[in-house]
Amino acid sequence: MPERNNGADTKTQSYTYADNDGGLYAWLQNFTSRIGDGAGDPEEEFLSLVRLVANCKPNSNFLEIGCGFGRILRIIEHSVGSVVGLEPDFERFRACRDDFDDGDRIRILQSTSGEYIDSHPGHHFDIVMVSMVLQHVPTGTCDRILRDVRHLLTPEGVAVIATTQQEIERFAFQWSPDFYSEEEFNRYAMDFGNHEWGLPVRAFSKASFRRVLELAGLSMIHWGQFSYIRPEKLEWVASAFHVDPEAIRDLGTSQYAVVRRGAIPSALR
Ligand SMILES: C[S@@+](CC[C@H](N)C(=O)[O-])C[C@H]1O[C@@H](n2cnc3c(N)ncnc32)[C@H](O)[C@@H]1O
């Protein structure tokens, strides 16, 4: 097995996430769930799937890697047996801990998944969640987080993993109009603390998402997409992404997979 500690290029003590979620609500107004009249949360498809999985495993122990301020924890906290939330950014960790950690059934730790594995050998989870994390980390860290997911799952466990989607894979920075090479993206993503263009944002294609999951030995049970561009915003988003509007009209800008432990690819054994 290759090294699985994702602390190597994500230094927990000094890792900072270059956003405070302040503009999130306004950003989400550009998208629709395509459910009902579309007036609800554009991420409803994904959030209701999370609710469903948690309620199907009511006594489960639940892990979220990169829990941020606890948006997902708020949905599942009363549906599962116990909760561990991991968050490397200190300010986000502290806010989440203050809101959720009860010192017993719900624990919030300032940690990456690799650090958690090293300090809690033998701990496994029935449900593992990685929501909107993979697109913001270097590609090597993404691969290691996914291998950690496989390692942390119980044999019957399931993981729900959500990230970005575009028609082809692209590497970008939040406030830059340009696209970058994978090498440039990785250099920028590793240089946290100096994110003058905002967050690093990797847009996965459906194929590249499937590839990183398979590479980590995760087998897909179910895939879905969500957060479609509102028709009146289509031209604007297409020109910002330099794409033909037709290519993205019916494409969810986010995607999720429900996975379980599969075979480890022979190249990694
Ligand atoms: C877009 S937020 C998502 C928060 C939450 N999962 C949600 O869906 O609302 C991404 C989070 O991933 C965290 N993160 C960044 N690098 C990470 C890593 N290597 N391991 C775990 N979490 C990480 C960030 O600090 C941030 O809180």
Side-chain angles (χ1 to χ4, degrees), residues 163-180:
T163 189
T164 49
Q165 178 174 236
Q166 279 189 27
E167 81 291 11
I168 56 167
E169 183 169 61
R170 291 195 181 87
F171 296 94
F173 309 150
Q174 193 175 16
W175 307 120
S176 166
D178 300 320
F179 296 121
Y180 297 87

Side-chain angles (χ1 to χ4, degrees), residues 55-244:
N55 279 282
C56 286
K57 286 179 172 277
N59 297 316
S60 59
N61 53 346
F62 179 103
L63 171 73
E64 183 174 8
I65 298 171
C67 58
F69 292 124
R71 175 179 76 124
I72 300 294
L73 302 184
R74 204 172 299 288
I75 296 173
I76 58 83
E77 62 173 322
H78 301 297
S79 307
V80 295
S82 62
V83 174
V84 173
L86 306 180
E87 172 52 51
D89 174 282
F90 179 69
E91 292 304 328
R92 295 165 77 84
F93 148 73
R94 187 169 56 181
C96 191
R97 181 198 59 193
D98 291 352
D99 280 353
F100 291 94
D101 194 313
D102 61 8
D104 178 29
R105 197 180 70 84
I106 302 182
R107 300 313 314 265
I108 309 298
L109 308 174
Q110 188 191 7
S111 176
T112 64
S113 47
E115 290 162 344
Y116 183 84
I117 290 171
D118 289 344
S119 54
H120 297 78
H123 279 219
H124 297 284
F125 294 85
D126 305 305
I127 305 174
V128 177
M129 172 73 46
V130 187
S131 165
M132 299 301 168
V133 174
L134 300 182
Q135 67 267 32
H136 299 309
V137 297
T139 52
T141 303
C142 167
D143 294 343
R144 281 192 289 276
I145 290 174
L146 291 173
R147 288 201 297 270
D148 290 345
V149 168
R150 188 184 187 285
H151 178 89
L152 286 160
L153 278 173
T154 58
E156 284 83 37
V158 293
V160 181
I161 299 171
T163 189
T164 49
Q165 178 174 236
Q166 279 189 27
E167 81 291 11
I168 56 167
E169 183 169 61
R170 291 195 181 87
F171 296 94
F173 309 150
Q174 193 175 16
W175 307 120
S176 166
D178 300 320
F179 296 121
Y180 297 87
S181 68
E182 181 174 340
E183 292 68 31
E184 289 167 323
F185 174 85
N186 283 337
R187 248 196 318 277
Y188 181 83
M190 280 180 213
D191 192 20
F192 46 78
N194 282 313
H195 285 169
E196 72 269 27
W197 291 105
L199 294 168
V201 186
R202 175 184 183 181
F204 287 85
S205 64
K206 183 178 181 182
S208 71
F209 184 41
R210 181 179 280 270
R211 203 161 45 241
V212 292
L213 296 173
E214 279 171 2
L215 197 65
L218 294 168
S219 135
M220 199 186 287
I221 310 168
H222 175 64
W223 175 89
Q225 55 184 326
F226 58 102
S227 266
Y228 297 88
I229 301 160
R230 288 191 176 281
E232 67 275 21
K233 304 287 181 165
L234 186 60
E235 293 290 337
W236 170 67
V237 176
S239 86
F241 290 165
H242 316 296
V243 291
D244 178 354

